[in-house]
Amino acid sequence: MEKKERKDALRQYQRYLKLQKGFTPNTLDAYLRDVQKLLLYLKGEGIDPLDVKLEDLEHFSASLHDLGIAPSSQARILCGVRSFYRFLNLDGWLEQDPAELLESPKTGEHLPEFLSTAEVDQLEDIIDLSKWEGHRNKAIIEVLFSCGLRVSELVNLPLSNLYLDEGFIRVFGKGRKERLVPISPKAIKELNLWFDDRRHMTIKPGEEDYVFLNRRGSHLTRTMILIMIKQYAREAGIQKTISPHTLRHSFATALLEGGADLRAIQAMLGHESIGTTEIYTHIDTTTLREEILQHHPRNIK
């Protein structure tokens, strides 16, 4: 979005809030300040506001958490962001609303929701393995829980980055930062069962290297995985509000409760805020693998 277009969009959004929504001057200013926070963040990331994807908005949300902003304030800011993109969609600036599935933190809570190992098992047990996608979906849940991946890292994971004989996968996270992530024997087992089904698929040209595919032979999207996990949670009777990120947090929580070294967990998650390169200076991949194998419930016999 050019500077002039951005000003036009903001001006029209301001008029919409004032005339159609009937907001008071104070409320109007608050909504505009929240949008400015987002625009400033996107400018720093080199992202055009009209090209924003859900993943970009989730990264913005995570940055609010990293800045120490209270959950209630995070929720208010994200409410303003959703309002802005809903307007851009309704006013014809965008064909789709990228903020439609953007979730806010629950106010009054300081930690995201997480699942116990038993609840992850509940999710997996509800899967109908007689369906063609059964082993695929079970492998998705297991890799998210056993490796702590971001959902964007999972949907873009290529076969060429799997080193299953060595017990590692190579992941490119935010900013294309690379890290090696240990993978549990159970996740490897579920992947191999999915690969048995995958071999019989017709795969679209250019999609051959993606680990996870839909029934049309194309790689999955974040939204598909979000919908799938929420559906399994409902069917399993899990009352918590969960998403793919819940499994990432469950991974970290399980390791912390198991006594793993905090620096190892931070390196495994690839958090931008803790200087991943510096952590790898102190912890080599062998130590990382030992930490995960020793403390993650999927590896404890």
Side-chain angles (χ1 to χ4, degrees):
M1 188 190 293
E2 297 294 331
K3 187 174 181 180
K4 182 178 183 298
E5 291 179 346
R6 184 162 61 245
K7 285 186 176 180
D8 289 342
L10 283 172
R11 192 177 299 115
Q12 291 184 35
Y13 177 57
Q14 182 175 0
R15 188 180 300 119
Y16 163 78
L17 294 178
K18 183 177 181 179
L19 300 180
Q20 294 194 38
K21 303 295 287 186
F23 284 174
T24 64
N26 286 342
T27 303
L28 182 65
D29 288 344
Y31 269 69
L32 293 176
R33 282 197 303 272
D34 292 339
V35 173
Q36 291 290 359
K37 289 184 178 70
L38 172 68
L39 295 179
L40 185 62
Y41 169 83
L42 294 177
K43 182 179 179 181
E45 295 292 321
I47 300 171
D48 189 307
L50 290 184
D51 293 331
V52 157
K53 298 179 175 59
L54 175 60
E55 175 185 353
D56 302 318
L57 297 177
E58 288 177 336
H59 289 171
F60 170 69
S61 175
S63 75
L64 299 177
H65 176 78
D66 290 343
L67 289 171
I69 296 174
S72 58
S73 297
Q74 293 178 44
R76 191 208 71 237
I77 293 169
L78 295 179
C79 178
V81 169
R82 280 193 294 270
S83 172
F84 179 60
Y85 276 102
R86 191 181 306 118
F87 163 78
L88 291 179
N89 176 229
L90 292 173
D91 206 49
W93 292 82
L94 294 171
E95 291 184 5
Q96 292 184 319
D97 179 3
E100 185 177 0
L101 296 175
L102 180 64
E103 297 184 348
S104 291
K106 290 187 178 180
T107 56
E109 292 184 4
H110 298 286
L111 289 174
E113 203 79 83
F114 68 92
L115 299 178
S116 66
T117 306
E119 287 172 322
V120 175
D121 289 337
Q122 278 181 254
L123 271 186
E124 295 183 354
D125 290 343
I126 208 71
I127 298 172
D128 185 350
L129 297 179
S130 67
K131 295 183 177 179
W132 82 268
E133 74 273 18
H135 286 298
R136 181 203 67 183
N137 291 351
K138 191 170 183 179
I140 286 171
I141 291 173
E142 193 56 44
V143 170
L144 286 171
F145 176 57
S146 293
C147 301
L149 300 189
R150 299 178 177 95
V151 66
S152 58
E153 295 167 347
L154 181 109
V155 297
N156 292 306
L157 185 65
L159 292 168
S160 52
N161 280 5
L162 300 183
Y163 303 93
L164 301 185
D165 290 341
E166 292 80 11
F168 282 100
I169 60 177
R170 185 169 59 168
V171 178
F172 288 94
K174 294 182 183 178
R176 296 293 296 169
K177 291 181 180 178
E178 178 184 347
R179 68 187 192 276
L180 289 175
V181 181
I183 182 169
S184 71
K186 180 169 174 56
I188 292 173
K189 174 187 174 184
E190 299 303 338
L191 278 174
N192 283 328
L193 289 171
W194 155 236
F195 292 153
D196 288 341
D197 296 334
R198 189 182 183 280
R199 292 186 186 97
H200 301 292
M201 295 182 63
T202 300
I203 302 174
K204 284 189 176 181
E207 305 283 293
E208 298 89 351
D209 199 29
Y210 286 102
V211 172
F212 295 108
L213 303 169
N214 61 28
R215 63 173 64 245
R216 295 180 299 277
S218 299
H219 68 282
L220 294 176
T221 66
R222 300 164 53 88
T223 304
M224 291 176 187
I225 295 178
L226 173 65
I227 293 171
M228 178 263 288
I229 288 177
K230 284 184 175 294
Q231 179 181 335
Y232 284 147
R234 285 195 300 269
E235 293 176 4
I238 296 173
Q239 300 299 314
K240 299 174 181 178
T241 302
I242 71 168
S243 68
H245 185 76
T246 308
L247 291 166
R248 175 171 159 87
H249 185 62
S250 303
F251 161 85
T253 302
L255 286 170
L256 280 170
E257 291 178 347
D261 185 273
L262 183 60
R263 294 177 302 150
I265 299 171
Q266 291 172 333
M268 282 287 297
L269 293 173
H271 280 160
E272 290 182 338
S273 58
I274 48 104
T276 306
T277 304
E278 181 181 345
I279 289 171
Y280 274 103
T281 303
H282 296 93
I283 306 173
D284 62 22
T285 54
T286 301
T287 306
L288 275 175
R289 178 166 168 73
E290 289 173 355
E291 287 286 345
I292 305 311
L293 291 180
Q294 182 180 350
H295 297 289
H296 195 284
R298 285 301 191 219
N299 301 304
I300 298 173
K301 298 180 179 179

